[in-house]
Amino acid sequence: MKTHTSRNPADGSLLAELVPTTPDQVIQAFDRARAAQRAWGALPLSARAKTLLQLREVIIQHTDEIVELITQENGKPYFEALANEVIPSVDMLTFFAKKAPYALRDTNLPLSIMKHRQSTLNYWPLGVVTIISPWNYPWLLPLGEIMMALVAGNAVIFKPSEITPLIGLKIQAMCDLAGFPTHLLQTLLGDGILGSQIIAQRPNKIFFTGSVATGKIIMAQAAEYLIPVNLELGGKDPIIVLADADLDFATSATLWGGYTNAGQMCASVERVLVHESIVQPFTTLLSKKTALLRQGPSHSRSNDLGPITLEKQKKIYDSQLQEAKAAGITICAGGQFSEDRRFLQPTLLAGKALETLSVYQEETFGPVLPITTFRSIPEAIEKANNNRYGLLASVITRDLALGEQIARQIQAGSVLINEVCYTAGLGETPWGGLKDSGIGRSHSLEGLKDFVNIRHIHKPRAPWLTFKSLWWFPYTDIQYRTFRLFLELYRCSWLKKLAAFPHFLSAAIRLIKNDKRL
Ligand code: NAD
């Protein structure tokens, strides 16, 4: 039987050989998921939320082995596996366990005219949802969506990236230990072909995180069956450093924003826009700090950057760096692969010509930071927005009011003032982008609503308030006149409203008195 391998990107060592899921198993998985979902979706929200807290407990008990596995299979440093994957997932479980019962409770809508009737929003599960995820945050990204899907009452068919299947299986094992019903979450292993076979089973919704190219393929396939999709795609996130910024703070923020997870993050800083008055000292200090970063294999506990996880990314770095070199761009730091080509040094590029190059325009998804300048705030905003992505942006300034004024003009899903990247790991705040960065939101109570159907229930406030509506058949002259006068009550001028009211009232009384409605 054909197997699929999982390898440590730091040294290429074999971690496991796995048997991919077969097409027949995909069909069976959906049948089981639909059966499991019926019982789970009928449970009260509080019971589902309680299971999230059990999962939280299981994760905390198994943290060390989870961190070890993330480090081995994805390559990121231990600290990042703990601080940027496991801890945010535990925090998110706490948030959704606490808030989902409140956010998904029935909500009454105030009605302005139809006072005798009541409208209620009732949130109910979508059914079986599919979560397809990438390799760069292989624990936090899928688990964040899995917990929202499950607490909302859905079953989940989860396809982790073929690069990090063991971490996917670990999520499954932790959920099993936490006591989620059998087959409520099922992890299927394979590549894009399996992803396509999963979609062909018509899940009730697809939550996809990955590249723009794959997102478009998934959306096209989903369109065949009219399956709704949430797409969390790429980014080319700018950081705007204003002239008043503290240089030490601004360079440290840029350093972490650009190089955490070796830059393999959709929310990475990938364009550095610095006011021209401070660009020289900024670049000098950032170069010094970049040179101090320690890069090394995943078994070392004292590395800041790990290896490049995905082989095919290296071609992108090669081509972007070659183009930059040919254009005469200054390499202020890094720029070289290790001898075995498993590591790319954190790389800092500077030069005006950068702005037309692919390293500045297209997603790099690696430890490469291009620095460019601006003269005025409108120019900074224009440059920040002049890109096909719109995921996240940062502004660094001592003037928070000005920072917020700029933030309100940036075309991005999130704008952080004096911070970088990290809100991708917050449960409370929405995550998602616009333009080529995708469709929909996850995380937050807004994002949670993407995991449910909304049912609107409309009823009389009491049985005796059940009567035929004035707009029912048959249509009559007096009915038309009453409704025409009713429209006058929407006039801006109070005088006109008041003038129309008695005419409307007498017409309405006449209409009701002569009621011949069928
Ligand atoms: P990718 O698109 O190559 O793969 C993502 C997932 O899609 C994998 O599980 C893959 O097997 C699956 N897939 C591939 N082809 C498919 C198909 N035809 N049908 C169904 N599934 C298919 O992306 P990647 O290399 O794993 O991840 C890197 C990309 O993800 C970057 O562009 C990055 O910006 C983006 N990303 C975005 C976010 C976000 O929140 N916006 C977060 C992380 C990563």
Side-chain angles (χ1 to χ4, degrees):
M1 186 175 278
K2 205 177 148 217
T3 55
H4 175 78
T5 56
S6 161
R7 291 184 183 275
N8 183 330
D11 56 15
S13 58
L14 183 68
L15 296 175
E17 288 204 52
L18 299 147
V19 180
T21 306
T22 64
D24 281 349
Q25 287 170 333
V26 176
I27 296 169
Q28 287 162 12
F30 270 85
D31 289 344
R32 291 175 183 146
R34 293 203 193 287
Q37 190 276 328
R38 277 191 282 277
W40 176 253
L43 286 179
L45 266 158
S46 55
R48 303 199 299 249
K50 209 171 135 203
T51 321
L52 290 196
L53 294 180
Q54 286 161 213
L55 176 59
R56 178 180 74 173
E57 199 57 25
V58 169
I59 292 173
I60 296 171
Q61 282 163 9
H62 292 79
T63 290
D64 295 327
E65 69 197 65
I66 296 168
V67 165
E68 181 68 36
L69 179 64
I70 295 173
T71 300
Q72 293 255 329
E73 199 178 40
N74 167 278
K76 66 185 65 187
Y78 278 87
F79 179 73
E80 288 188 4
L82 175 70
N84 304 349
E85 297 252 27
V86 177
I87 291 178
S89 71
V90 162
D91 185 57
M92 268 186 210
L93 282 165
T94 311
F95 174 72
F96 286 112
K98 235 196 224 166
K99 298 290 182 180
Y102 164 81
L104 299 182
R105 78 202 186 291
D106 282 4
T107 313
N108 290 333
L109 293 179
L111 298 175
S112 61
I113 300 168
M114 301 294 156
K115 297 283 184 215
H116 62 295
R117 302 190 70 92
Q118 182 180 306
S119 270
T120 305
L121 298 183
N122 167 237
Y123 301 105
W124 55 293
L126 295 168
V128 178
V129 304
T130 285
I131 294 174
I132 300 178
S133 51
W135 46 268
N136 65 327
Y137 281 81
W139 175 266
L140 178 64
L141 292 178
L143 186 51
E145 291 186 336
I146 288 168
M147 68 178 79
M148 286 188 277
L150 293 181
V151 79
N154 303 292
V156 175
I157 299 290
F158 165 41
K159 195 199 88 57
S161 166
E162 59 275 33
I163 310 298
T164 49
L166 294 179
I167 300 167
L169 290 174
K170 191 58 136 185
I171 291 176
Q172 176 78 56
M174 295 297 105
C175 289
D176 292 346
L177 277 177
F180 285 103
T182 317
H183 301 138
L184 190 68
L185 167 71
Q186 294 172 79
T187 304
L188 310 188
L189 299 183
D191 56 16
I193 296 170
L194 177 77
S196 164
Q197 288 163 354
I198 290 173
I199 296 168
Q201 291 308 307
R202 306 187 183 201
N204 296 94
K205 190 160 182 177
I206 301 163
F207 292 87
F208 169 74
T209 308
S211 63
V212 177
T214 310
K216 286 180 180 172
I217 294 171
I218 286 178
M219 198 166 170
Q221 193 186 355
E224 274 180 50
Y225 314 118
L226 224 60
I227 303 171
V229 289
N230 261 40
L231 302 176
E232 302 282 350
L233 309 176
K236 190 75 187 169
D237 305 343
I239 187 168
I240 300 174
V241 182
L242 297 193
D244 72 342
D246 176 286
L247 276 185
D248 179 44
F249 178 85
T251 47
S252 292
T254 309
L255 190 79
W256 192 79
Y259 299 136
T260 186
N261 204 29
Q264 303 166 114
M265 188 186 193
C266 53
S268 271
V269 172
E270 290 215 4
R271 288 181 294 150
V272 188
L273 293 160
V274 185
H275 191 268
E276 62 175 7
S277 64
I278 57 164
V279 73
Q280 279 310 330
F282 178 92
T283 307
T284 308
L285 189 55
L286 185 57
S287 306
K288 275 190 196 152
K289 290 184 182 181
T290 303
L292 291 175
L293 292 174
R294 298 153 308 164
Q295 195 162 27
S298 44
H299 57 73
S300 145
R301 280 188 185 255
S302 54
N303 59 335
D304 301 311
L305 277 82
I308 301 308
T309 313
L310 187 62
E311 194 57 37
K312 76 172 185 206
Q313 286 299 123
K314 296 175 189 170
K315 281 197 193 130
I316 297 173
Y317 310 152
D318 278 335
S319 116
Q320 292 191 350
L321 289 176
Q322 268 165 27
E323 189 196 19
K325 280 178 197 161
I329 294 303
T330 311
I331 300 184
C332 309
Q336 298 293 327
F337 272 100
S338 59
E339 225 167 84
D340 60 5
R341 281 184 59 85
R342 295 197 180 278
F343 298 85
L344 173 64
Q345 290 174 331
T347 297
L348 196 59
L349 306 174
K352 268 221 148 31
L354 268 173
E355 289 175 29
T356 58
L357 304 181
S358 59
V359 73
Y360 184 83
Q361 293 291 343
E362 300 301 327
E363 188 177 47
T364 305
F365 216 60
V368 182
L369 272 176
I371 302 180
T372 181
T373 59
F374 64 89
R375 283 188 196 160
S376 66
I377 286 168
E379 187 190 350
I381 294 166
E382 200 273 320
K383 284 187 171 179
N385 288 338
N386 187 14
N387 191 267
R388 68 184 180 110
Y389 293 103
L391 187 58
L392 180 131
S394 292
V395 182
I396 308 290
T397 176
R398 286 187 165 103
D399 184 342
L400 295 186
L402 177 61
E404 190 166 342
Q405 213 179 309
I406 295 170
R408 288 175 187 279
Q409 297 174 72
I410 301 286
Q411 295 161 0
S414 300
V415 186
L416 315 187
I417 299 165
N418 294 347
E419 248 306 351
V420 284
C421 312
Y422 92 110
T423 60
L426 280 186
E428 294 92 330
T429 59
W431 182 246
L434 49 125
K435 301 196 271 189
D436 274 7
S437 290
I439 297 171
R441 292 291 179 271
S442 69
H443 305 170
S444 77
L445 301 183
E446 304 289 322
L448 185 61
K449 303 251 168 89
D450 277 9
F451 290 83
V452 286
N453 286 307
I454 301 179
R455 182 189 280 125
H456 165 218
I457 297 172
H458 187 71
K459 64 176 188 193
R461 286 191 176 276
W464 54 271
L465 284 170
T466 301
F467 47 79
K468 292 179 186 177
S469 292
L470 291 172
W471 54 85
W472 288 8
F473 293 131
Y475 301 144
T476 59
D477 280 349
I478 182 63
Q479 187 192 31
Y480 184 88
R481 187 172 145 67
T482 309
F483 276 65
R484 180 64 190 83
L485 283 163
F486 173 68
L487 195 62
E488 293 297 312
L489 305 181
Y490 285 94
R491 300 295 287 253
C492 293
S493 146
W494 276 100
L495 276 179
K496 288 185 177 148
K497 279 188 216 278
L498 285 173
F501 186 70
H503 300 293
F504 163 71
L505 196 61
S506 75
I509 291 168
R510 243 181 351 123
L511 174 65
I512 293 164
K513 268 192 183 161
N514 298 309
D515 187 10
K516 291 197 178 70
R517 276 167 291 167
L518 296 173

